[in-house]
Amino acid sequence: MTPSGDDTSTATPDKDLADATREAKSAAAEAQAAADKSEQSATEAADEAAAAAHADDDDTNFADELLIEERHPSVGMGTPGPPLRRGNPFTFGFFAALGVLVALGLWNAAGQARSVLILLLVSMFIAVGLNPLVEWFMRRGLKRGLSVGVVFLLMILAVAGVAVAIVPVVSDQINSLIKNAPEWLDLLNKSKTLNELDDKYHFIQKAQEYVQDPALAQRAFGGILGVGKVVAGALFNTFTILVLTLYFLASLPSVKRAAYSLVPSTRRTRVSILGDEVLGRVGGYVSGQFLVALTAGVMMFIFLEIIGLREYAVALAIVVMFCDFIPMVGGLIGVVVVALIGFTGGLGIGIACLIYGVIYQQVENYFVAPRIMRRAVDIPGAVTVIAALLGGALLGVVGALLAIPSAAAILLIIREVWVRKADAS
C-alpha cells in the first residue's frame, strides 16, 4: 500500500505544470493582442504621416510656384554645366557672327547720334577746361556750387559780350555792301574789258534773265529758310552746350568717383592718379590756349587802333582770339578776316594787316605758345600736327580743338603704363 506522502508529491508537479502552461498561453495571447494593437497603431501612424506628407506636398507645390529656393533649397539655381567647347566650328561661327552684328549695330547707333555725341564731348571738354578756374575760386574760400555759378556766369557774360561786339560789325558791313553796290555796277559798265567780254559771252544778259526768273524768289525764300534753320540750330546747340557744361562742371567730382569705382580696388589708386593727371593736362591746355588767344586778341586790338580801324578794333580782336583756338589754321583764318575788313578801308591798310598777321603768327608759333603751353602739354611738334590733322579729318573743327589735349593724355598713358611695363619686362 502506497504511503500518503508519496501521492501528494506526485500530484503537485503535474498541477504546477498545468498552471505554467495556462500562464504561458495567457502571456502568448496578451503578446499577440499587444502586437495586433501595435500594428494597428503603426498603420494609423502611417496613415497620419501620409496625410501630413500630402498636406506638406500641397504647401510645397504652392511654394514652388513662388520661390525657386523652396524647390531646391540645397542647390539654389543648380550647378553650372560644363563650358561650351570653343573649338566647335558652329559655336565659334555663331558667336563671331553675333559679335559682328552687335558691333555694326553700335556703329550705326553712334553714327545716328553723332551730333549729340559731339555736343557731349564739347561740353565735357569745356567743363574740364573750366574746372581749374572753379578750383581757383574754391581755394579762395568759396564752395564748389557757388564757384561753379560764378564761372558759369562769367562764361555767359563772355558769350553775350562777343555777340554784342560782332553783330554791329557784321550789320555795318552788310549795309556798306548794299550802299556801294550801285557804284560798283557803274564801274563794271564803264569797263572796256568787261564790255568786250559781254559782247562775246553775253553774261550781263544772262545775269538779267537770271534775276528776272520767277523761280528766283522761291529759291531765295528757300535760302532764307535754310539760313534761319542754321541760325536756329546754332542757337539750340549753344544753349545745349551751356546746360551740359553746367551739369558736368557741377558733378565732375562725383563723376570721377563713379568712374574710378568701376576699376578693381588693387588698381584704383593708380588709375585715379593717372585720371586726375589727364584731366589736369586737359584743363591746363585749355587755360594755356586761352592765354595764347587772349594775347593774340590784345595785340590785334592795339594794332588796329594804331592803323586807324578803331570802329572795328574790338570785334576783330575777338574774332582773332576765337580763331586762335583752332590749331594750325586758326591764326591764318583770323588774319584773312582782318585783312578783308582792312581792304575796305584802303589798299595800304589791307596790306599792313596781312604783313602784321604773318609776322605775329611766327612770333606766336616760336615764342609765345611754346612758353605758355610747355607746362600744360609736353608733346612733340610732329605729334601736334598729326593729331590736329586726324582730329580735323574725323570731327572737323571740333576734332581739331580736341586733338592736342587728347594726344597729350594718350602720351601720358603710354609713358606711365606701356613704357614702364616694357622697362620692367
Side-chain angles (χ1 to χ4, degrees), residues 21 47 52 68 115 125 128 177 213 253:
T21 302
D47 293 339
I68 296 175
S115 59
F125 179 76
V128 173
L177 179 63
D213 188 1

Side-chain angles (χ1 to χ4, degrees), residues 44-60:
E44 293 176 356
D47 293 339
E48 292 177 358
H54 182 69
D56 292 339
D57 289 340
D58 293 339
D59 295 339
T60 304

Side-chain angles (χ1 to χ4, degrees), residues 221-235:
F221 184 72
I224 293 174
L225 286 180
V227 172
K229 290 181 180 179
V230 171
V231 173
L235 292 177

Side-chain angles (χ1 to χ4, degrees), residues 198-247:
D198 180 59
D199 293 339
K200 185 176 181 180
Y201 297 104
H202 307 288
F203 63 88
I204 295 179
Q205 181 181 357
K206 293 179 180 178
Q208 291 176 350
E209 293 175 356
Y210 178 79
V211 173
Q212 295 173 359
D213 188 1
L216 179 62
Q218 183 178 359
R219 290 196 297 267
F221 184 72
I224 293 174
L225 286 180
V227 172
K229 290 181 180 179
V230 171
V231 173
L235 292 177
F236 176 77
N237 290 339
T238 302
F239 177 76
T240 304
I241 289 175
L242 289 176
V243 173
L244 291 176
T245 300
L246 177 61
Y247 171 77

Side-chain angles (χ1 to χ4, degrees), residues 325-371:
F325 276 97
I326 304 174
M328 298 177 58
V329 297
L332 179 61
I333 295 174
V335 169
V336 171
V337 172
V338 173
L340 290 177
I341 301 297
F343 279 118
T344 61
L347 181 61
I349 295 178
I351 294 175
C353 292
L354 285 176
I355 295 174
Y356 168 80
V358 171
I359 294 175
Y360 181 78
Q361 282 302 305
Q362 305 307 314
V363 174
E364 179 183 290
N365 293 334
Y366 291 100
F367 294 98
V368 179
R371 283 165 174 74

Side-chain angles (χ1 to χ4, degrees), residues 7-8 24 55 119 415:
D7 293 339
T8 304
L119 293 179
R415 292 192 190 110

